[in-house]
Amino acid sequence: MITTKRGSEGKPVVSYNASVGFQSPTAKVERMDSWEAADFYNRALENSGKATRFEQEDIELFKNGTDPYGHPNTDWYDLAYNSGFIHKHNISVSGGTKTVRYMNSIGFLGQDGVLRNSGRKQFNVRSNVDIKVSDRLNMRSNLSYINNYYWEPNNSRYGDGPRQVINLVNTFAPWIPYKNEDGSYGGNGDGNPIAWLDMNERCLHKGQKFTGIMATDYKLIDGLVLTAQGSYTMNLSDYKAFMKDIQLNEDVYQGPNELTETMSVSNRMAFDGLLNYNKIFGKHHVKGLAGYRVEKYNYKTLTGNRTGFPTNEQTDLGAGQDDSQTNDGYSRELALMSYFARINYDYMGKFLLEVNFRADASSRFNKDNRWGYFPGISAGWRISEENFMKDFTWLDNLKIRGSYGSLGNNTLGSNRDNDGNYLSQSLYAQTNYVLGRAVAMGLSQTAIANANLSWETTYITNLGVDYNMFSNRLSGSLEFFNKKTDGILIDLPAPMVHGNATIPKQNAAQVTNKGVEFSVNWSDRVGKDFDYNVGFNFTYIKNNVDKFKGDEPSYDGARMLKEGLPIWSSYV
């Protein structure tokens, strides 16, 4: 559960917090000097039966430093990395009366990256308000806004941000000069990472996020509270990466210059309705929860690209050549709906019982398979509370517990919100074709629908014992578990008659994890000021792929997925 700071009754309290510091790389790879690298390179060539590259005279020149351009000793790390200054500031005002409490804050973060041309400026605002309308009705709001702007170096070869810069800094040989004697840059066909940093090539990331939550609690009767909560989150992002063209030296030119800019917006709206019950009847304690949730998510992105800008300083998309322009974009939608309930009962803290149930619907699935139903039950018996255990004074707590339940998963990819939203539907894309000896634009099917796609379900069974002894100094647990995940999405073989269209995933795999966990801890105090804790834990898990593709395995390097074996078994 994530909570935020709230205001408290009293006069306004103004506080200011700040911190400053410096950052620097602490785990850089120790690199050879150029004469050492040249010597080892010669040895490698000799061991391969090839002629050496460097003469002994070259190695001596590398070592004595008398020819810094022809025989340099370049420290690429030192040229690329530096210390970064970081400072944080936060101002908050909180206070309130018996009926209204508030907490408002403003913050700023400034950070210079340890890699040149990288850094961050972040501004945030937060406001939390609690209102007691009456003895029965309470209202609260949480509002927050974050403006996050950060930048990182780009390169003139691939335009993939700092990845190629870092790669070449890590792999460039120290005998390659940073600059030649005529002022041009050294390097090879890949370029020169320090030249890109000198030119101040950057990828710019600008993001804004707003989150608003409004909630109301109404006490219907003693022990019964109705809660209604609405929330809205919006994310705006703007990514801009400009690749400058550069003449490294007379032999190497990298260009033309190029700009890629991507803008995206997403929003999420949700409503929660909750009914909470909490009541004690003598020796009986009953708690209950009934709820409803609906959620809608929308995402849209647009990307534009142009090359051939007049100069490296004109970085607006419209300044590039018209005939080089390309663009792309797409949108995604997702809707979820849930009903859920839970009942808890305990008798004198001795017998414990919980029963829960939830029904979830996802727009990712066809309407006939949209709903998934997931029950659960757990029970516990605190034997140490029984009268026949009172003579065991050294035993503070002994509880036997067991549970069985199921959980559903509708996430069909690595991205929780955007992946697999339309796997149950046929997908189409623009395709050109010839009509009357002319090229015409049309649509073709790119993915075949699977209307039977449904929830991946995990069934979990647990049996366990918890214990505390010797004034709670000794504690631990022993637990047996069986976790079976059914309906996992996989790609199954399909006949070639389907053509080039993507074959849909199917709920066809099953994986089981069985095992035992054991833990024991000892906590004590020596004297008045020294506390210590010693613990030991042990876990044994047996993993098995129950259903996959029959006898057909799938490979990933030296790993294999096959029915009847553990997940990603190693093979040779």
Side-chain angles (χ1 to χ4, degrees):
M1 178 181 292
I2 300 175
T3 60
T4 58
K5 292 182 178 180
R6 319 296 300 184
S8 57
E9 183 179 343
K11 295 181 179 180
V13 176
V14 180
S15 64
Y16 169 71
N17 295 300
S19 64
V20 296
F22 290 91
Q23 303 175 119
S24 60
T26 58
K28 293 187 294 186
V29 177
E30 186 176 350
R31 302 289 300 277
M32 291 182 180
D33 288 313
S34 56
W35 60 88
E36 295 175 301
D39 181 49
F40 273 90
Y41 188 63
N42 276 350
R43 296 186 195 181
L45 291 174
E46 287 179 343
N47 292 335
S48 300
K50 300 177 181 178
T52 60
R53 173 176 176 177
F54 299 102
E55 301 293 338
Q56 187 60 37
E57 181 183 355
D58 293 317
I59 294 176
E60 289 299 324
L61 288 172
F62 282 132
K63 194 170 185 177
N64 61 39
T66 57
D67 183 16
Y69 296 105
H71 296 80
N73 183 28
T74 308
D75 187 340
W76 295 102
Y77 279 160
D78 187 59
L79 294 170
Y81 294 99
N82 52 27
S83 295
F85 178 64
I86 179 172
H87 55 110
K88 300 179 183 179
H89 309 269
N90 190 80
I91 299 175
S92 65
V93 180
S94 62
T97 65
K98 292 182 178 180
T99 55
V100 179
R101 293 177 288 117
Y102 60 88
M103 197 289 295
N104 302 313
S105 67
I106 299 176
F108 176 80
L109 166 66
Q111 182 178 14
D112 297 326
V114 296
L115 181 64
R116 288 171 52 192
N117 296 342
S118 64
R120 178 189 302 271
K121 292 181 179 179
Q122 181 174 294
F123 171 77
N124 61 274
V125 180
R126 180 178 295 277
S127 176
N128 297 330
V129 178
D130 297 272
I131 303 174
K132 183 178 181 180
V133 181
S134 68
D135 290 338
R136 290 181 177 270
L137 180 62
N138 293 287
M139 303 179 68
R140 61 186 180 278
S141 67
N142 302 335
L143 304 176
S144 68
Y145 170 77
I146 298 176
N147 188 311
N148 186 25
Y149 172 44
Y150 70 95
W151 55 95
E152 57 190 359
N154 200 7
N155 68 86
S156 294
R157 182 166 175 80
Y158 298 105
D160 56 354
R163 181 182 304 175
Q164 186 68 3
V165 176
I166 296 172
N167 178 52
L168 294 190
V169 166
N170 286 333
T171 58
F172 254 29
W175 61 68
I176 299 176
Y178 155 49
K179 279 190 175 183
N180 299 314
E181 191 169 4
D182 61 3
S184 63
Y185 286 99
N188 55 30
D190 289 328
N192 183 317
I194 309 305
W196 301 328
L197 295 176
D198 288 346
M199 293 188 66
N200 199 25
E201 290 190 74
R202 296 184 177 185
C203 298
L204 308 179
H205 303 257
K206 298 179 180 179
Q208 300 181 71
K209 181 178 182 179
F210 169 79
T211 301
I213 299 175
M214 303 288 290
T216 299
D217 298 321
Y218 185 75
K219 185 177 179 181
L220 299 172
I221 58 175
D222 185 32
L224 185 62
V225 178
L226 175 66
T227 299
Q229 176 176 293
S231 64
Y232 177 79
T233 301
M234 181 177 66
N235 285 279
L236 300 173
S237 67
D238 182 0
Y239 169 76
K240 188 173 184 179
F242 192 85
M243 294 171 56
K244 296 182 178 182
D245 66 335
I246 177 174
Q247 186 75 50
L248 292 176
N249 50 57
E250 62 180 8
D251 298 321
V252 180
Y253 167 76
Q254 292 185 321
N257 49 22
E258 180 179 349
L259 172 66
T260 299
E261 187 163 4
T262 300
M263 302 188 71
S264 60
V265 57
S266 67
N267 61 72
R268 186 188 305 275
M269 296 167 285
F271 172 79
D272 294 89
L274 303 173
L275 194 62
N276 280 281
Y277 182 72
N278 192 344
K279 192 72 173 177
I280 297 177
F281 303 93
K283 298 179 181 180
H284 306 273
H285 184 195
V286 179
K287 292 195 299 183
L289 168 69
Y292 165 78
R293 177 179 174 84
V294 62
E295 178 181 334
K296 180 67 182 299
Y297 170 80
N298 296 280
Y299 175 84
K300 180 170 65 175
T301 185
L302 178 64
T303 298
N305 177 278
R306 283 194 181 191
T307 62
F309 291 76
T311 69
N312 286 331
E313 282 66 48
Q314 292 176 289
T315 60
D316 283 333
L317 195 59
Q321 295 177 354
D322 291 344
D323 59 0
S324 71
Q325 66 182 6
T326 60
N327 58 74
D328 191 17
Y330 61 89
S331 60
R332 298 284 186 268
E333 292 182 329
L334 174 65
L336 300 167
M337 180 184 292
S338 300
Y339 295 94
F340 47 91
R342 183 181 69 236
I343 297 177
N344 295 83
Y345 168 79
D346 78 76
Y347 175 72
M348 299 177 61
K350 183 189 305 183
F351 300 106
L352 312 171
L353 177 67
E354 178 180 300
V355 179
N356 60 72
F357 177 82
R358 64 180 300 128
D360 298 303
S362 171
S363 64
R364 287 190 168 115
F365 307 126
N366 183 278
K367 63 180 181 180
D368 294 330
N369 299 297
R370 188 155 291 168
W371 286 93
Y373 304 97
F374 311 103
I377 184 171
S378 63
W381 177 26
R382 293 187 65 193
I383 306 176
S384 54
E385 297 300 309
E386 296 290 355
N387 290 329
F388 60 79
M389 297 292 292
K390 297 304 180 182
D391 292 336
F392 298 92
T393 57
W394 49 269
L395 183 65
D396 303 298
N397 175 58
L398 181 62
K399 181 172 72 173
I400 299 175
R401 52 182 170 80
S403 65
Y404 173 81
S406 58
L407 297 171
N409 176 34
N410 78 111
T411 301
L412 306 180
S414 59
N415 188 304
R416 171 182 176 269
D417 296 314
N418 292 332
D419 286 350
N421 290 8
Y422 307 103
L423 284 181
S424 63
Q425 306 175 36
S426 296
L427 301 182
Y428 297 85
Q430 176 185 325
T431 302
N432 294 332
Y433 64 98
V434 177
L435 180 64
R437 296 186 178 182
V439 177
M441 183 178 69
L443 290 175
S444 66
Q445 188 175 20
T446 59
I448 300 173
N450 178 6
N452 295 320
L453 204 66
S454 188
W455 290 82
E456 173 188 298
T457 305
T458 299
Y459 304 91
I460 305 173
T461 302
N462 285 77
L463 295 173
V465 177
D466 300 321
Y467 59 89
N468 297 74
M469 305 176 186
F470 311 120
S471 300
N472 292 310
R473 288 177 295 179
L474 181 67
S475 62
S477 64
L478 175 65
E479 183 170 335
F480 299 89
F481 60 87
N482 185 344
K483 178 181 178 181
K484 181 177 71 174
T485 302
D486 194 19
I488 302 173
L489 288 176
I490 60 172
D491 296 306
L492 291 176
M496 295 300 294
V497 70
H498 289 291
N500 293 327
T502 300
I503 305 302
K505 294 181 181 294
Q506 301 181 51
N507 299 98
Q510 178 180 295
V511 173
T512 299
N513 290 278
K514 299 178 181 179
V516 59
E517 292 182 338
F518 171 74
S519 67
V520 59
N521 295 276
W522 178 270
S523 300
D524 205 352
R525 168 173 291 184
V526 178
K528 295 182 178 180
D529 303 318
F530 182 75
D531 295 312
Y532 69 93
N533 179 65
V534 180
F536 170 81
N537 62 77
F538 170 81
T539 302
Y540 170 77
I541 299 176
K542 183 179 180 181
N543 172 273
N544 187 70
V545 178
D546 302 325
K547 291 192 296 184
F548 186 54
K549 298 179 181 179
D551 293 331
E552 179 185 341
S554 290
Y555 298 99
D556 179 18
R559 305 187 306 166
M560 175 176 62
L561 264 181
K562 186 177 181 181
E563 199 168 294
L565 296 176
I567 288 181
W568 293 123
S569 299
S570 298
Y571 80 99
V572 292

